[in-house]
Amino acid sequence: MSMAYSTANWHWKTKHYEYTIGTSSGDNKLVNALLARVKALLPPLLEEKFKAFPQAILDVHGKDLTVVPSENDTPGGSGTATPAQVAPSATTTKSSLSNSKSAAGASKSNTINVLNTATVKVSSRFMASAEDLYGLLTDESRIPTWSRAAAQSKPSPGGAFSLFGGGVAGKYVELNPPNKIVQEWQLSRGSWPSSHYGTMTITLEQGSDSTNVEFSLDGVPKGQEEDVERGLEGYYIRGFKSIGYVQVSHYSQSTSPTPSKPTPVTIRKDGIDWKGYVALALAGLFLAVSIIPALTHNATR
C-alpha cells in the first residue's frame, strides 16, 4: 500500500505483506499520531479482505476449468490416487531408499493438471426422422456406412463405443431414443490430453418433415475449438450427406440458434414491382391510342 509522502514515511513488513505510508505536510506530532493509528488499524482490515481474493478469483474465472488426473493416477476405492506398493527390503538402508521412492511416486501420482475448456456446438437439419438418425448414430452395423471406418457401439448406459477406426472413443452415459444421446467422448489423436474426456450431447428434434440434430461437445481444451468444430462438421454432418441424407439447413457455431422449419417457396405479391407494370401498361395504351387513328385514316384512303 502506498500513499503520497515526503516529510514523514513509515515502512514495515508483516508476514505476507509490505506497507509504506506517509504524509507530505502537517504537524509532526499529529502526523506521527495519525500514522501510528493507520499502522495499527488499517493492515488487519486490508489483510482480511485480501484473504477473500483467491476464492473470488476462482469463483469468477474458474468456471471453465476442468481438473484432469495425471496419467499415473490409479483410482482407489475412495476415488483418490493410490501410490504403487513397495516391496519390503532386507536392510534399513534399502528400506529407507524404497520409502523415499514411494513418497516420490505418491507425490507424482497426486499431481493434477488444470485444463481450461470450452463447449463446441454444431447442428444441422435433415430430411429424415429422428428415429432414423438415432439409428445411424448408435447402430453398430449402420455407423460404418457414413463414418467410412470400422466402428464399435454398445448403445446402453456404460456401453463402449469407438468411431472412425478408433479416432474417437468413449462410453454411453445416457440414452433417450430417439431424442437424446449423452456420451463420454475422447479424441484419441492429436493434442487432446490422453486422460481427458469431454461430454458429447446429441439431441434430435423432429419437425413435420425433417429433424434437427445438434452435437454439443463440452470439455474441449481451449485452443482446439476450431479443429473440433471442423471435425464434427466434416465427420458427422458431411458423413450423413455422403450417403444421401438431404440437408435442409445448417448451423455451425459456439451457440447454435434453433433453425426454423422449412417453408414452401411461394410468390409474394410484395416482391413484384406493380408500379412498373402499371406504367408500362399505360404507355402501351397511349401508344395504341396514338397509332390506331393513323392506321384507320390510311386504310380509308
Side-chain angles (χ1 to χ4, degrees):
M1 182 184 70
S2 178
M3 296 181 177
Y5 59 91
S6 61
T7 61
N9 303 319
W10 286 29
H11 182 87
W12 75 97
K13 296 180 180 180
T14 63
K15 184 177 180 180
H16 300 291
Y17 302 99
E18 183 174 336
Y19 296 88
T20 299
I21 61 175
T23 181
S24 58
S25 62
D27 181 83
N28 285 340
K29 291 184 178 180
L30 293 177
V31 167
N32 289 335
L34 175 60
L35 294 181
R37 189 70 172 170
V38 169
K39 180 179 178 181
L41 298 179
L42 189 58
L45 296 176
L46 290 175
E47 293 181 17
E48 188 65 30
K49 293 294 183 181
F50 294 159
K51 290 179 182 179
F53 280 5
Q55 187 60 46
I57 292 173
L58 289 176
D59 291 342
V60 174
H61 301 289
K63 295 179 181 179
D64 58 350
L65 298 179
T66 302
V67 177
V68 182
S70 68
E71 296 180 3
N72 297 317
D73 284 354
T74 304
S78 62
T80 58
T82 304
Q85 297 293 323
V86 180
S89 55
T91 65
T92 303
T93 303
K94 290 182 178 181
S95 177
S96 299
L97 180 60
S98 298
N99 289 337
S100 298
K101 290 181 178 179
S102 177
S107 176
K108 184 178 181 181
S109 175
N110 289 328
T111 301
I112 59 175
N113 299 317
V114 177
L115 186 65
N116 206 1
T117 63
T119 299
V120 173
K121 294 182 181 181
V122 170
S123 68
S124 187
R125 184 175 288 273
F126 290 95
M127 296 288 289
S129 67
E131 184 177 3
D132 187 17
L133 295 176
Y134 183 92
L136 278 179
L137 291 163
T138 58
D139 189 335
E140 187 174 84
S141 64
R142 297 183 66 189
I143 293 173
T145 62
W146 57 269
S147 68
R148 299 290 191 263
Q152 297 177 351
S153 177
K154 306 298 180 186
S156 61
F161 72 89
S162 176
L163 309 176
F164 313 112
V168 170
K171 67 179 182 180
Y172 291 98
V173 177
E174 177 186 348
L175 295 114
N176 182 17
N179 303 115
K180 186 177 181 181
I181 304 167
V182 181
Q183 302 168 328
E184 275 191 7
W185 194 97
Q186 183 186 51
L187 189 64
S188 60
R189 297 168 185 166
S191 57
W192 190 284
S194 60
S195 58
H196 175 63
Y197 284 83
T199 300
M200 171 69 83
T201 301
I202 305 172
T203 54
L204 301 108
E205 298 180 3
Q206 182 169 327
S208 59
D209 56 0
S210 60
T211 298
N212 184 71
V213 55
E214 179 184 82
F215 301 89
S216 177
L217 182 56
D218 184 34
V220 176
K222 282 285 189 180
Q224 299 189 34
E225 297 95 327
E226 291 185 5
D227 290 340
V228 170
E229 185 174 318
R230 284 195 298 268
L232 295 178
E233 161 71 21
Y235 286 97
Y236 287 90
I237 303 298
R238 293 181 185 173
F240 290 176
K241 292 170 62 178
S242 71
I243 58 174
Y245 281 79
V246 178
Q247 184 181 28
V248 180
S249 60
H250 170 255
Y251 298 89
S252 177
Q253 46 189 305
S254 297
T255 304
S256 304
T258 302
S260 58
K261 295 181 180 179
T263 56
V265 177
T266 58
I267 299 176
R268 298 176 54 191
K269 292 183 178 180
D270 58 0
I272 301 176
D273 186 6
W274 293 106
K275 293 182 179 180
Y277 280 109
V278 171
L280 183 62
L282 290 175
L285 181 61
F286 177 78
L287 182 63
V289 171
S290 302
I291 294 176
I292 289 174
L295 293 176
T296 303
H297 177 69
N298 290 333
T300 57
R301 290 178 60 184

